[in-house]
Structure formats: C-alpha cells, structure tokens
Amino acid sequence: MKTHEISLAIKQLASDDGVVREKARNALVAAESRDVTEALIAELVDYRHQVRWEAAKALSQIGDPIAALPLVHAMDDDDHDVAWVAAEGVAEMGEVGLQAVLSGLSHSSRSGSFYKVAHHALKEIRKHGKHRDVVAKVMATLEGVEPRLSAPIAAYEALQELRGNGSPANGPAH
C-alpha cells in the first residue's frame, strides 16, 4: 500500500458510513506494513471516538508488537468501546501484550476505568495459559480494595519476574 493510499484509507476511518470505515480498516489490515501501523498509532489520539475505535481495531487485527504500548495507552480512553477493543488487541499479542499491560499498570496515575479494562486484558491473556501465576497475582490486586495502590507494585514485580530479574519480595529467580 502506497503512502497516498494509506492516507486515503486513514481519512476514510472518519466516514459516517460504517461500510466505508470497515472497508478502509480491512484494506489497512491487509497491507500490514510498518507505515500502516505507524499511521494507525497516530490515529489512537484522534478527537473522534469512531476513528480511535477503528484504529484500535485495525492495530489489534494486525498484531504488530510496536503497537502494544500505544494500545495500552488507548486502554485509558474516555470511550469505553475504544478502551475495550484496545485491551482485546493487546491480549492477542501474548508475551509482548502482557509486558505492555504490566508496564501500563506499573504507573499509578491511571483512571479507575483503566484498571477494569486492564483486568479484562489480563483475563484474556490468562486464557492463553502462559504465565498464569504471574497474571493471577496482578489480577488479584485489581480485584482488591485499592487497586490504585496495590496494582502498580504487583505489576512492577510481575514485570521483574517475567524478565528473569526476580521480584523484590521473592529474591532472584533461578
């Protein structure tokens, strides 16, 4: 897909016609190039919720690991539908998605709705079976009384464990 074709398809994501938006999204997904991924990432902050939703959906379908952190940021979107689509996209990215969610959770300045969406992403990641114990610990903090205080610490420790650095509470991993 050429640059002008990408630009046109991106513009079509703002169409009032759902069929036009879906065709544009499908064309962008089919192209699967780094230029497409970067253009879609830029649209995650568009002022129109439907453009953000289409961008999150397309990025989720493409599955390029460079979109993991931008999708985690989109999980904090004011529009719940955008946040939910972003969470599902990150969950499909496996290990990269898990690390991105944990990284996002390790920053304590998130909205309350972010924690609910992050819980959904982790639940979807857990279904894939890998790192179930690590995911379960973090999910427990998200289900607890004060996730804004406990989740960032649990997420940080989980990241350390995944990276093989051990966690401060458990010592080095062997």
Side-chain angles (χ1 to χ4, degrees):
M1 192 172 230
K2 296 178 183 164
T3 305
H4 73 277
E5 293 171 321
I6 294 171
S7 295
L8 178 61
I10 292 288
K11 285 178 186 163
Q12 290 173 334
L13 295 179
S15 174
D16 289 334
D17 185 337
V19 173
V20 170
R21 287 194 312 269
E22 185 176 5
K23 282 184 180 180
R25 178 173 28 92
N26 289 339
L28 290 163
V29 169
E32 272 191 60
S33 73
R34 183 57 49 102
D35 289 339
V36 167
T37 299
E38 290 172 357
L40 287 165
I41 288 170
E43 297 306 310
L44 289 173
V45 295
D46 191 278
Y47 69 94
R48 298 160 292 197
H49 75 277
Q50 75 205 33
V51 174
R52 296 191 312 272
W53 187 92
E54 292 289 353
K57 183 72 171 174
L59 287 167
S60 298
Q61 291 173 311
I62 293 169
D64 188 329
I66 70 160
L69 282 173
L71 282 171
V72 167
H73 288 289
M75 287 169 45
D76 210 5
D77 196 283
D78 291 338
D79 185 292
H80 182 72
D81 292 336
V82 173
W84 207 256
V85 167
E88 294 194 343
V90 168
E92 288 299 315
M93 292 182 181
E95 180 97 14
V96 171
L98 174 58
Q99 289 192 20
V101 171
L102 293 174
S103 178
L105 280 168
S106 69
H107 298 90
S108 60
S109 61
R110 298 292 187 172
S111 69
S113 61
F114 177 82
Y115 293 109
K116 291 176 186 163
V117 175
H119 184 276
H120 173 67
L122 291 173
K123 188 170 103 179
E124 293 300 310
I125 290 168
R126 189 177 63 184
K127 286 180 184 176
H128 299 299
K130 201 168 181 188
H131 305 297
R132 290 184 135 205
D133 293 342
V134 172
V135 172
K137 288 179 202 172
V138 178
M139 286 179 67
T141 65
L142 292 170
E143 296 162 359
V145 177
E146 192 55 62
R148 288 179 194 233
L149 299 176
S150 56
I153 295 165
Y156 173 79
E157 290 176 350
L159 271 172
Q160 295 306 306
E161 190 174 330
L162 288 176
R163 293 176 178 158
N165 299 332
S167 72
N170 300 326
H174 297 309

Short mmCIF file of all heavy atoms in Angstrom, two decimals, residues 63-120:
data_model
loop_
_atom_site.label_atom_id
_atom_site.label_comp_id
_atom_site.label_asym_id
_atom_site.label_seq_id
_atom_site.Cartn_x
_atom_site.Cartn_y
_atom_site.Cartn_z
N GLY A 63 -1.67 -6.86 14.84
CA GLY A 63 -0.86 -7.54 15.86
C GLY A 63 0.61 -7.20 15.87
O GLY A 63 1.41 -7.95 16.42
N ASP A 64 1.01 -6.08 15.30
CA ASP A 64 2.41 -5.67 15.30
C ASP A 64 2.82 -5.30 16.73
O ASP A 64 2.18 -4.46 17.36
CB ASP A 64 2.60 -4.46 14.37
CG ASP A 64 4.05 -4.08 14.16
OD1 ASP A 64 4.88 -4.28 15.07
OD2 ASP A 64 4.37 -3.57 13.07
N PRO A 65 3.89 -5.91 17.25
CA PRO A 65 4.31 -5.64 18.63
C PRO A 65 4.60 -4.16 18.93
O PRO A 65 4.46 -3.75 20.07
CB PRO A 65 5.59 -6.48 18.79
CG PRO A 65 5.49 -7.54 17.76
CD PRO A 65 4.71 -6.95 16.62
N ILE A 66 4.94 -3.38 17.93
CA ILE A 66 5.21 -1.96 18.22
C ILE A 66 3.94 -1.22 18.62
O ILE A 66 4.01 -0.13 19.19
CB ILE A 66 5.94 -1.21 17.09
CG1 ILE A 66 5.05 -0.99 15.89
CG2 ILE A 66 7.25 -1.85 16.73
CD1 ILE A 66 5.53 0.12 14.98
N ALA A 67 2.80 -1.81 18.38
CA ALA A 67 1.53 -1.18 18.75
C ALA A 67 1.10 -1.53 20.17
O ALA A 67 0.11 -0.97 20.66
CB ALA A 67 0.44 -1.58 17.76
N ALA A 68 1.81 -2.41 20.85
CA ALA A 68 1.38 -2.86 22.18
C ALA A 68 1.26 -1.71 23.17
O ALA A 68 0.21 -1.54 23.80
CB ALA A 68 2.32 -3.94 22.70
N LEU A 69 2.29 -0.93 23.35
CA LEU A 69 2.22 0.18 24.31
C LEU A 69 1.22 1.26 23.90
O LEU A 69 0.45 1.72 24.75
CB LEU A 69 3.61 0.78 24.57
CG LEU A 69 4.48 -0.04 25.51
CD1 LEU A 69 5.90 0.53 25.58
CD2 LEU A 69 3.88 -0.13 26.90
N PRO A 70 1.17 1.65 22.63
CA PRO A 70 0.11 2.60 22.25
C PRO A 70 -1.29 2.06 22.52
O PRO A 70 -2.18 2.82 22.94
CB PRO A 70 0.35 2.83 20.76
CG PRO A 70 1.82 2.58 20.57
CD PRO A 70 2.13 1.46 21.53
N LEU A 71 -1.49 0.77 22.32
CA LEU A 71 -2.80 0.19 22.63
C LEU A 71 -3.07 0.21 24.14
O LEU A 71 -4.20 0.43 24.57
CB LEU A 71 -2.92 -1.23 22.08
CG LEU A 71 -3.19 -1.32 20.58
CD1 LEU A 71 -3.07 -2.77 20.09
CD2 LEU A 71 -4.54 -0.75 20.21
N VAL A 72 -2.04 0.00 24.94
CA VAL A 72 -2.22 0.09 26.40
C VAL A 72 -2.63 1.51 26.77
O VAL A 72 -3.52 1.70 27.59
CB VAL A 72 -0.94 -0.35 27.16
CG1 VAL A 72 -1.02 0.03 28.63
CG2 VAL A 72 -0.75 -1.86 27.01
N HIS A 73 -2.03 2.50 26.15
CA HIS A 73 -2.45 3.89 26.40
C HIS A 73 -3.91 4.08 25.98
O HIS A 73 -4.67 4.77 26.67
CB HIS A 73 -1.54 4.89 25.69
CG HIS A 73 -0.20 4.99 26.32
ND1 HIS A 73 0.02 5.58 27.54
CD2 HIS A 73 1.01 4.54 25.90
CE1 HIS A 73 1.30 5.51 27.85
NE2 HIS A 73 1.92 4.87 26.87
N ALA A 74 -4.31 3.44 24.89
CA ALA A 74 -5.70 3.54 24.43
C ALA A 74 -6.66 2.84 25.38
O ALA A 74 -7.86 3.13 25.38
CB ALA A 74 -5.83 2.97 23.02
N MET A 75 -6.15 1.95 26.21
CA MET A 75 -7.00 1.29 27.21
C MET A 75 -7.49 2.29 28.26
O MET A 75 -8.39 1.99 29.02
CB MET A 75 -6.23 0.15 27.89
CG MET A 75 -6.05 -1.06 27.01
SD MET A 75 -4.89 -2.32 27.64
CE MET A 75 -5.33 -2.47 29.36
N ASP A 76 -6.90 3.46 28.28
CA ASP A 76 -7.32 4.52 29.21
C ASP A 76 -8.19 5.56 28.49
O ASP A 76 -8.40 6.66 29.00
CB ASP A 76 -6.07 5.19 29.81
CG ASP A 76 -6.30 5.72 31.21
OD1 ASP A 76 -7.39 5.51 31.77
OD2 ASP A 76 -5.39 6.37 31.75
N ASP A 77 -8.69 5.20 27.31
CA ASP A 77 -9.51 6.12 26.51
C ASP A 77 -10.82 6.44 27.25
O ASP A 77 -11.37 5.58 27.95
CB ASP A 77 -9.84 5.47 25.16
CG ASP A 77 -10.34 6.47 24.13
OD1 ASP A 77 -11.52 6.87 24.22
OD2 ASP A 77 -9.56 6.84 23.26
N ASP A 78 -11.31 7.65 27.07
CA ASP A 78 -12.58 8.06 27.68
C ASP A 78 -13.75 7.25 27.14
O ASP A 78 -14.76 7.08 27.82
CB ASP A 78 -12.85 9.55 27.41
CG ASP A 78 -11.90 10.45 28.16
OD1 ASP A 78 -11.32 10.00 29.18
OD2 ASP A 78 -11.72 11.61 27.74
N ASP A 79 -13.64 6.77 25.92
CA ASP A 79 -14.69 5.96 25.31
C ASP A 79 -14.43 4.49 25.67
O ASP A 79 -13.41 3.91 25.29
CB ASP A 79 -14.68 6.16 23.79
CG ASP A 79 -15.83 5.44 23.11
OD1 ASP A 79 -15.82 4.18 23.11
OD2 ASP A 79 -16.72 6.12 22.59
N HIS A 80 -15.36 3.90 26.41
CA HIS A 80 -15.20 2.53 26.89
C HIS A 80 -15.01 1.54 25.74
O HIS A 80 -14.23 0.59 25.86
CB HIS A 80 -16.40 2.13 27.75
CG HIS A 80 -16.30 0.76 28.32
ND1 HIS A 80 -15.43 0.46 29.36
CD2 HIS A 80 -16.92 -0.39 28.00
CE1 HIS A 80 -15.53 -0.83 29.64
NE2 HIS A 80 -16.43 -1.37 28.84
N ASP A 81 -15.70 1.74 24.63
CA ASP A 81 -15.58 0.82 23.49
C ASP A 81 -14.18 0.83 22.92
O ASP A 81 -13.64 -0.22 22.55
CB ASP A 81 -16.59 1.17 22.40
CG ASP A 81 -18.03 0.91 22.84
OD1 ASP A 81 -18.24 0.07 23.74
OD2 ASP A 81 -18.94 1.54 22.28
N VAL A 82 -13.57 2.01 22.82
CA VAL A 82 -12.19 2.12 22.33
C VAL A 82 -11.25 1.39 23.29
O VAL A 82 -10.39 0.60 22.87
CB VAL A 82 -11.76 3.60 22.17
CG1 VAL A 82 -10.29 3.72 21.83
CG2 VAL A 82 -12.63 4.30 21.11
N ALA A 83 -11.42 1.65 24.58
CA ALA A 83 -10.57 1.02 25.59
C ALA A 83 -10.68 -0.50 25.54
O ALA A 83 -9.67 -1.21 25.62
CB ALA A 83 -10.95 1.55 26.98
N TRP A 84 -11.90 -0.99 25.38
CA TRP A 84 -12.14 -2.44 25.37
C TRP A 84 -11.49 -3.10 24.15
O TRP A 84 -10.86 -4.16 24.26
CB TRP A 84 -13.65 -2.69 25.39
CG TRP A 84 -14.02 -4.00 26.00
CD1 TRP A 84 -14.42 -5.10 25.33
CD2 TRP A 84 -14.04 -4.33 27.39
NE1 TRP A 84 -14.71 -6.11 26.23
CE2 TRP A 84 -14.47 -5.67 27.50
CE3 TRP A 84 -13.72 -3.63 28.55
CZ2 TRP A 84 -14.61 -6.31 28.72
CZ3 TRP A 84 -13.86 -4.28 29.77
CH2 TRP A 84 -14.29 -5.60 29.84
N VAL A 85 -11.64 -2.49 22.98
CA VAL A 85 -11.04 -3.02 21.76
C VAL A 85 -9.51 -3.03 21.89
O VAL A 85 -8.84 -3.99 21.50
CB VAL A 85 -11.48 -2.22 20.51
CG1 VAL A 85 -10.64 -2.55 19.30
CG2 VAL A 85 -12.94 -2.50 20.21
N ALA A 86 -8.97 -1.98 22.46
CA ALA A 86 -7.52 -1.90 22.68
C ALA A 86 -7.05 -3.02 23.61
O ALA A 86 -6.04 -3.68 23.35
CB ALA A 86 -7.13 -0.54 23.24
N ALA A 87 -7.80 -3.28 24.67
CA ALA A 87 -7.45 -4.33 25.62
C ALA A 87 -7.46 -5.70 24.95
O ALA A 87 -6.55 -6.51 25.17
CB ALA A 87 -8.42 -4.33 26.80
N GLU A 88 -8.45 -5.94 24.12
CA GLU A 88 -8.51 -7.22 23.44
C GLU A 88 -7.36 -7.38 22.44
O GLU A 88 -6.82 -8.47 22.28
CB GLU A 88 -9.88 -7.40 22.79
CG GLU A 88 -10.94 -7.51 23.88
CD GLU A 88 -12.28 -8.01 23.40
OE1 GLU A 88 -12.54 -8.00 22.19
OE2 GLU A 88 -13.05 -8.42 24.28
N GLY A 89 -6.98 -6.29 21.80
CA GLY A 89 -5.86 -6.33 20.88
C GLY A 89 -4.55 -6.62 21.58
O GLY A 89 -3.74 -7.44 21.12
N VAL A 90 -4.35 -5.98 22.72
CA VAL A 90 -3.13 -6.22 23.50
C VAL A 90 -3.10 -7.66 23.98
O VAL A 90 -2.05 -8.32 23.94
CB VAL A 90 -3.05 -5.23 24.69
CG1 VAL A 90 -1.96 -5.62 25.66
CG2 VAL A 90 -2.81 -3.82 24.18
N ALA A 91 -4.23 -8.17 24.42
CA ALA A 91 -4.30 -9.55 24.91
C ALA A 91 -3.90 -10.56 23.84
O ALA A 91 -3.29 -11.58 24.13
CB ALA A 91 -5.70 -9.86 25.43
N GLU A 92 -4.23 -10.27 22.59
CA GLU A 92 -3.88 -11.17 21.49
C GLU A 92 -2.39 -11.18 21.17
O GLU A 92 -1.92 -12.04 20.43
CB GLU A 92 -4.67 -10.79 20.23
CG GLU A 92 -6.14 -11.14 20.32
CD GLU A 92 -6.40 -12.63 20.51
OE1 GLU A 92 -5.76 -13.45 19.81
OE2 GLU A 92 -7.22 -12.97 21.37
N MET A 93 -1.65 -10.23 21.72
CA MET A 93 -0.22 -10.12 21.42
C MET A 93 0.64 -11.01 22.31
O MET A 93 1.87 -10.97 22.23
CB MET A 93 0.23 -8.67 21.52
CG MET A 93 -0.35 -7.81 20.44
SD MET A 93 0.28 -6.13 20.59
CE MET A 93 -0.58 -5.37 19.22
N GLY A 94 0.02 -11.78 23.18
CA GLY A 94 0.77 -12.72 24.01
C GLY A 94 1.74 -12.04 24.95
O GLY A 94 1.39 -11.09 25.65
N GLU A 95 2.96 -12.53 24.95
CA GLU A 95 4.01 -12.05 25.88
C GLU A 95 4.24 -10.54 25.75
O GLU A 95 4.36 -9.84 26.75
CB GLU A 95 5.31 -12.81 25.60
CG GLU A 95 6.45 -12.41 26.48
CD GLU A 95 6.63 -13.34 27.66
OE1 GLU A 95 6.05 -14.44 27.67
OE2 GLU A 95 7.36 -12.95 28.58
N VAL A 96 4.30 -10.05 24.52
CA VAL A 96 4.51 -8.62 24.30
C VAL A 96 3.35 -7.82 24.89
O VAL A 96 3.55 -6.80 25.54
CB VAL A 96 4.68 -8.30 22.79
CG1 VAL A 96 4.68 -6.81 22.54
CG2 VAL A 96 5.94 -8.94 22.25
N GLY A 97 2.15 -8.31 24.68
CA GLY A 97 0.96 -7.65 25.22
C GLY A 97 0.95 -7.68 26.74
O GLY A 97 0.63 -6.68 27.39
N LEU A 98 1.31 -8.82 27.30
CA LEU A 98 1.36 -8.95 28.76
C LEU A 98 2.35 -7.94 29.34
O LEU A 98 2.02 -7.23 30.29
CB LEU A 98 1.75 -10.38 29.16
CG LEU A 98 1.99 -10.61 30.65
CD1 LEU A 98 0.75 -10.27 31.48
CD2 LEU A 98 2.41 -12.07 30.89
N GLN A 99 3.53 -7.87 28.77
CA GLN A 99 4.52 -6.92 29.28
C GLN A 99 4.05 -5.48 29.14
O GLN A 99 4.27 -4.65 30.02
CB GLN A 99 5.87 -7.14 28.60
CG GLN A 99 6.52 -8.42 29.06
CD GLN A 99 7.97 -8.54 28.65
OE1 GLN A 99 8.63 -7.57 28.33
NE2 GLN A 99 8.48 -9.76 28.66
N ALA A 100 3.36 -5.19 28.04
CA ALA A 100 2.85 -3.83 27.84
C ALA A 100 1.77 -3.49 28.88
O ALA A 100 1.77 -2.39 29.44
CB ALA A 100 2.29 -3.67 26.42
N VAL A 101 0.86 -4.42 29.16
CA VAL A 101 -0.18 -4.19 30.16
C VAL A 101 0.46 -3.99 31.54
O VAL A 101 0.10 -3.07 32.28
CB VAL A 101 -1.22 -5.33 30.19
CG1 VAL A 101 -2.16 -5.19 31.38
CG2 VAL A 101 -2.00 -5.37 28.90
N LEU A 102 1.41 -4.85 31.87
CA LEU A 102 2.08 -4.72 33.17
C LEU A 102 2.82 -3.39 33.27
O LEU A 102 2.81 -2.74 34.32
CB LEU A 102 3.03 -5.89 33.40
CG LEU A 102 2.36 -7.26 33.56
CD1 LEU A 102 3.41 -8.36 33.63
CD2 LEU A 102 1.44 -7.28 34.76
N SER A 103 3.44 -2.99 32.19
CA SER A 103 4.13 -1.70 32.18
C SER A 103 3.13 -0.57 32.41
O SER A 103 3.38 0.35 33.20
CB SER A 103 4.86 -1.51 30.85
OG SER A 103 5.48 -0.25 30.80
N GLY A 104 1.99 -0.64 31.73
CA GLY A 104 0.96 0.38 31.91
C GLY A 104 0.42 0.40 33.32
O GLY A 104 0.17 1.46 33.89
N LEU A 105 0.26 -0.77 33.91
CA LEU A 105 -0.24 -0.86 35.28
C LEU A 105 0.78 -0.36 36.31
O LEU A 105 0.40 0.07 37.39
CB LEU A 105 -0.62 -2.30 35.62
CG LEU A 105 -1.96 -2.77 35.11
CD1 LEU A 105 -2.09 -4.28 35.26
CD2 LEU A 105 -3.10 -2.07 35.83
N SER A 106 2.05 -0.46 35.97
CA SER A 106 3.07 -0.06 36.94
C SER A 106 3.12 1.45 37.15
O SER A 106 3.77 1.93 38.07
CB SER A 106 4.45 -0.60 36.52
OG SER A 106 4.90 0.06 35.37
N HIS A 107 2.40 2.19 36.33
CA HIS A 107 2.30 3.64 36.51
C HIS A 107 1.01 3.93 37.26
O HIS A 107 -0.08 3.63 36.78
CB HIS A 107 2.31 4.35 35.16
CG HIS A 107 3.58 4.11 34.41
ND1 HIS A 107 3.73 3.05 33.56
CD2 HIS A 107 4.76 4.76 34.43
CE1 HIS A 107 4.96 3.07 33.07
NE2 HIS A 107 5.61 4.09 33.59
N SER A 108 1.12 4.52 38.42
CA SER A 108 -0.03 4.63 39.32
C SER A 108 -1.01 5.73 38.96
O SER A 108 -2.05 5.85 39.58
CB SER A 108 0.45 4.83 40.75
OG SER A 108 1.23 6.00 40.84
N SER A 109 -0.73 6.54 37.96
CA SER A 109 -1.61 7.68 37.68
C SER A 109 -2.67 7.34 36.63
O SER A 109 -2.97 8.14 35.77
CB SER A 109 -0.78 8.87 37.20
OG SER A 109 -0.10 8.52 36.01
N ARG A 110 -3.25 6.18 36.72
CA ARG A 110 -4.27 5.75 35.76
C ARG A 110 -5.66 5.99 36.33
O ARG A 110 -5.86 6.08 37.53
CB ARG A 110 -4.11 4.26 35.45
CG ARG A 110 -2.79 3.90 34.80
CD ARG A 110 -2.74 4.47 33.41
NE ARG A 110 -1.55 3.98 32.73
CZ ARG A 110 -1.32 4.19 31.46
NH1 ARG A 110 -2.15 4.90 30.73
NH2 ARG A 110 -0.25 3.72 30.90
N SER A 111 -6.63 6.02 35.43
CA SER A 111 -8.03 6.19 35.85
C SER A 111 -8.55 4.87 36.42
O SER A 111 -8.00 3.80 36.15
CB SER A 111 -8.88 6.61 34.66
OG SER A 111 -8.99 5.54 33.75
N GLY A 112 -9.62 4.96 37.18
CA GLY A 112 -10.25 3.76 37.72
C GLY A 112 -10.73 2.82 36.64
O GLY A 112 -10.64 1.60 36.76
N SER A 113 -11.23 3.39 35.55
CA SER A 113 -11.71 2.54 34.46
C SER A 113 -10.55 1.80 33.78
O SER A 113 -10.73 0.69 33.28
CB SER A 113 -12.50 3.36 33.44
OG SER A 113 -11.70 4.35 32.86
N PHE A 114 -9.36 2.38 33.78
CA PHE A 114 -8.20 1.70 33.20
C PHE A 114 -7.96 0.36 33.90
O PHE A 114 -7.68 -0.64 33.25
CB PHE A 114 -6.93 2.56 33.29
CG PHE A 114 -5.71 1.86 32.78
CD1 PHE A 114 -5.43 1.82 31.43
CD2 PHE A 114 -4.84 1.21 33.65
CE1 PHE A 114 -4.31 1.14 30.93
CE2 PHE A 114 -3.72 0.55 33.17
CZ PHE A 114 -3.46 0.52 31.82
N TYR A 115 -8.09 0.35 35.21
CA TYR A 115 -7.84 -0.88 35.96
C TYR A 115 -8.85 -1.97 35.58
O TYR A 115 -8.50 -3.14 35.51
CB TYR A 115 -7.85 -0.61 37.47
CG TYR A 115 -6.69 0.26 37.89
CD1 TYR A 115 -6.88 1.56 38.28
CD2 TYR A 115 -5.39 -0.24 37.85
CE1 TYR A 115 -5.81 2.37 38.65
CE2 TYR A 115 -4.30 0.55 38.21
CZ TYR A 115 -4.52 1.86 38.61
OH TYR A 115 -3.46 2.64 38.96
N LYS A 116 -10.09 -1.59 35.33
CA LYS A 116 -11.10 -2.56 34.91
C LYS A 116 -10.77 -3.12 33.53
O LYS A 116 -10.90 -4.32 33.27
CB LYS A 116 -12.48 -1.91 34.90
CG LYS A 116 -12.99 -1.59 36.29
CD LYS A 116 -14.30 -0.86 36.23
CE LYS A 116 -14.69 -0.45 37.65
NZ LYS A 116 -15.71 0.57 37.68
N VAL A 117 -10.35 -2.25 32.64
CA VAL A 117 -10.01 -2.68 31.28
C VAL A 117 -8.74 -3.54 31.31
O VAL A 117 -8.64 -4.55 30.61
CB VAL A 117 -9.87 -1.46 30.34
CG1 VAL A 117 -9.39 -1.87 28.97
CG2 VAL A 117 -11.19 -0.71 30.24
N ALA A 118 -7.78 -3.15 32.14
CA ALA A 118 -6.54 -3.94 32.28
C ALA A 118 -6.87 -5.33 32.82
O ALA A 118 -6.29 -6.33 32.39
CB ALA A 118 -5.55 -3.23 33.19
N HIS A 119 -7.81 -5.40 33.75
CA HIS A 119 -8.24 -6.70 34.29
C HIS A 119 -8.79 -7.57 33.15
O HIS A 119 -8.47 -8.76 33.06
CB HIS A 119 -9.30 -6.48 35.37
CG HIS A 119 -9.72 -7.75 36.05
ND1 HIS A 119 -10.70 -8.58 35.52
CD2 HIS A 119 -9.30 -8.33 37.18
CE1 HIS A 119 -10.86 -9.61 36.32
NE2 HIS A 119 -10.03 -9.49 37.34
N HIS A 120 -9.58 -6.96 32.28
CA HIS A 120 -10.13 -7.71 31.14
C HIS A 120 -8.99 -8.21 30.24
O HIS A 120 -9.00 -9.38 29.83
CB HIS A 120 -11.09 -6.81 30.34
CG HIS A 120 -11.56 -7.44 29.08
ND1 HIS A 120 -12.37 -8.55 29.06
CD2 HIS A 120 -11.31 -7.13 27.78
CE1 HIS A 120 -12.61 -8.91 27.80
NE2 HIS A 120 -11.98 -8.05 27.01
#
